[in-house]
Amino acid sequence: MQNVQNPIIIDQNYCPGDRGCPDQSSGVRISGVTYNDIHGSSASEVAVNFDCSASNPCTGIGLQDIKLTYGNTAAESSCKHADGTASGFVVPPSCL
């Protein structure tokens, strides 16, 4: 993939238009998701974004052999209420 806005994302706090859902809590439990062999460039500095719910955190997230850049540098990752593992070559450094 090349110049992708959100290459790897889980967003349980998505609120369209930021109206009618402040401080929402997701009722959906996300677990056992693996991202494997993903290479390319990100259009945003944060290429890996796991923004999970405090009441139903993401568990068992796996990153394997990921290489994402932003411009000429490694992209960044951001994790909130997410737990999992990273293995193999993972860029940006995993926050799991």
Side-chain angles (χ1 to χ4, degrees), residues 56-91:
N56 282 305
C58 300
T59 59
I61 306 298
L63 296 174
Q64 298 174 320
D65 299 319
I66 308 295
K67 184 177 180 185
L68 295 169
T69 59
Y70 172 68
N72 293 326
T73 63
E76 295 182 10
S77 61
S78 174
C79 296
K80 293 178 187 168
H81 309 292
D83 183 54
T85 60
S87 63
F89 188 75
V90 177
V91 175

Side-chain angles (χ1 to χ4, degrees), residues 16-78:
D18 291 323
R19 286 179 270 150
C21 45
D23 301 320
Q24 69 182 7
S25 179
S26 177
V28 177
R29 186 175 308 268
I30 295 175
S31 64
V33 177
T34 299
Y35 297 90
N36 186 31
D37 196 27
I38 298 174
H39 301 238
S41 63
S42 175
S44 52
E45 194 170 351
V46 176
V48 178
N49 185 9
F50 299 128
D51 187 6
C52 300
S53 168
S55 61
N56 282 305
C58 300
T59 59
I61 306 298
L63 296 174
Q64 298 174 320
D65 299 319
I66 308 295
K67 184 177 180 185
L68 295 169
T69 59
Y70 172 68
N72 293 326
T73 63
E76 295 182 10
S77 61
S78 174

